[in-house]
């Protein structure tokens, strides 16, 4: 698509934000609509409410992305908490090697039984 989504949106008289390139993504489009709505409202309090409502709407529409984000963040936080329990990187690596070795041994035992 040459010119991106903005040309098509302008032809259809849909609202666009000036100097914005619409590449893809629902969240970006929703954020631009919220920005446009906030600029039309004028009052900062109402603009904040409009942005929060639009953000909540985008979260509901993209609940699968939100759940993926929560899952990945949970894994990263869990690993960070695990890693901070060690006094040095070497201790952490030794522990990880031991855990990986135990997991490989367990898989090999199961494989040999089959």
């Amino acid at each position: 698509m040459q010119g991106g989504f903005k040309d098509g949106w302008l032809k259809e008289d849909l609202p666009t934000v000036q100097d914005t390139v619409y590449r893809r993504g629902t969240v970006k489009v929703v954020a631009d609509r919220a920005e446009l709505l906030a600029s039309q409202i004028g009052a900062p309090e109402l603009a904040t409410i409009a942005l929060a409502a639009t953000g909540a709407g985008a979260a509901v529409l993209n609940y699968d992305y939100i759940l993926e984000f929560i899952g990945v963040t949970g894994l990263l936080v869990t690993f960070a908490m695990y890693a901070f329990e060690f006094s040095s990187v070497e201790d952490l690596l030794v522990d990880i090697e031991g855990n990986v070795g135990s997991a490989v041994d367990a898989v090999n035992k199961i494989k040999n039984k089959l």
Side-chain angles (χ1 to χ4, degrees), residues 62-94:
N62 295 312
Y63 70 93
D64 54 338
Y65 175 75
I66 300 297
L67 292 175
E68 287 178 18
F69 179 78
I70 290 170
V72 170
T73 302
L75 286 173
L76 291 174
V77 168
T78 301
F79 180 74
M81 290 172 50
Y82 173 76
F84 285 128
E85 292 178 3
F86 296 94
S87 60
S88 68
V89 175
E90 290 81 20
D91 292 341
L92 173 63
L93 293 176
V94 166

Side-chain angles (χ1 to χ4, degrees), residues 7-75:
D7 294 338
W9 281 44
L10 290 173
K11 288 178 188 173
E12 296 296 324
D13 292 327
L14 294 171
T16 59
V17 177
Q18 200 171 28
D19 297 330
T20 300
V21 177
Y22 291 89
R23 292 199 175 105
R24 62 180 179 171
T26 306
V27 174
K28 178 67 174 152
V29 173
V30 169
D32 288 340
R33 285 188 180 180
E35 182 181 339
L36 184 65
L37 179 65
S39 67
Q40 291 174 350
I41 291 175
E45 296 82 15
L46 294 176
T48 303
I49 293 170
L51 288 173
T54 305
V60 168
L61 292 175
N62 295 312
Y63 70 93
D64 54 338
Y65 175 75
I66 300 297
L67 292 175
E68 287 178 18
F69 179 78
I70 290 170
V72 170
T73 302
L75 286 173

